[in-house]
Amino acid sequence: MCIRDSSRAIRAEISELIACLYLMSKGFALFRNMIPKGPIDFVAVNLETKEVHFIDSKTVARKGHKARRRHTPEQEELRVVFAYLSPTEAQEMLKDYHINFVNEKGEDIEF
């Protein structure tokens, strides 16, 4: 299944998770929002510099596109950073990963 064929909510969740994985690979600690609505999706903390960033992930239609979404007044006050990711970019990032799924008997499982 291609990411772009998924429902809007699933695409948004995948974009958020990939943004989190990207920042984790750069050494950030991440803390995700536990409520469905809010001004941010997650908090990223640079463990070396101690900088804290409030991130709101956004799924866009095409690679490199930055939707002209405006920050809400609350997001402006919090200095929220938008993370833009397209389904195509997400698919490209995921193709470099291979995950082995193994059941309790040690047998490989394909999804």
Side-chain angles (χ1 to χ4, degrees):
M1 174 176 89
C2 258
I3 291 173
R4 70 177 164 269
D5 297 333
S6 303
S7 76
R8 185 176 184 179
I10 291 172
R11 286 194 312 265
E13 186 67 23
I14 290 169
S15 292
E16 180 178 333
L17 289 171
I18 289 175
C20 287
L21 290 171
Y22 175 81
L23 290 171
M24 285 172 58
S25 75
K26 300 289 186 184
F28 285 80
L30 300 171
F31 305 90
R32 294 188 69 200
N33 190 351
M34 299 302 293
I35 58 174
K37 297 229 179 219
I40 64 171
D41 289 327
F42 59 93
V43 177
V45 179
N46 184 317
L47 295 176
E48 287 184 20
T49 66
K50 309 302 184 221
E51 289 179 299
V52 177
H53 303 275
F54 299 117
I55 312 289
D56 190 22
S57 63
K58 301 292 183 191
T59 305
V60 295
R62 60 189 177 278
K63 185 177 181 176
H65 179 72
K66 294 183 186 101
R68 299 294 179 219
R69 297 203 174 111
R70 300 195 52 87
H71 288 73
T72 65
E74 187 176 17
Q75 287 175 321
E76 286 180 6
E77 185 178 332
L78 292 169
R79 299 176 60 204
V80 171
V81 174
F82 285 166
Y84 292 104
L85 186 70
S86 76
T88 303
E89 289 170 310
Q91 196 75 42
E92 288 173 11
M93 294 172 97
L94 289 174
K95 74 178 180 183
D96 293 333
Y97 288 89
H98 178 76
I99 301 170
N100 293 318
F101 292 93
V102 180
N103 69 12
E104 73 285 354
K105 297 175 186 173
E107 302 165 333
D108 290 339
I109 303 296
E110 294 293 324
F111 287 94

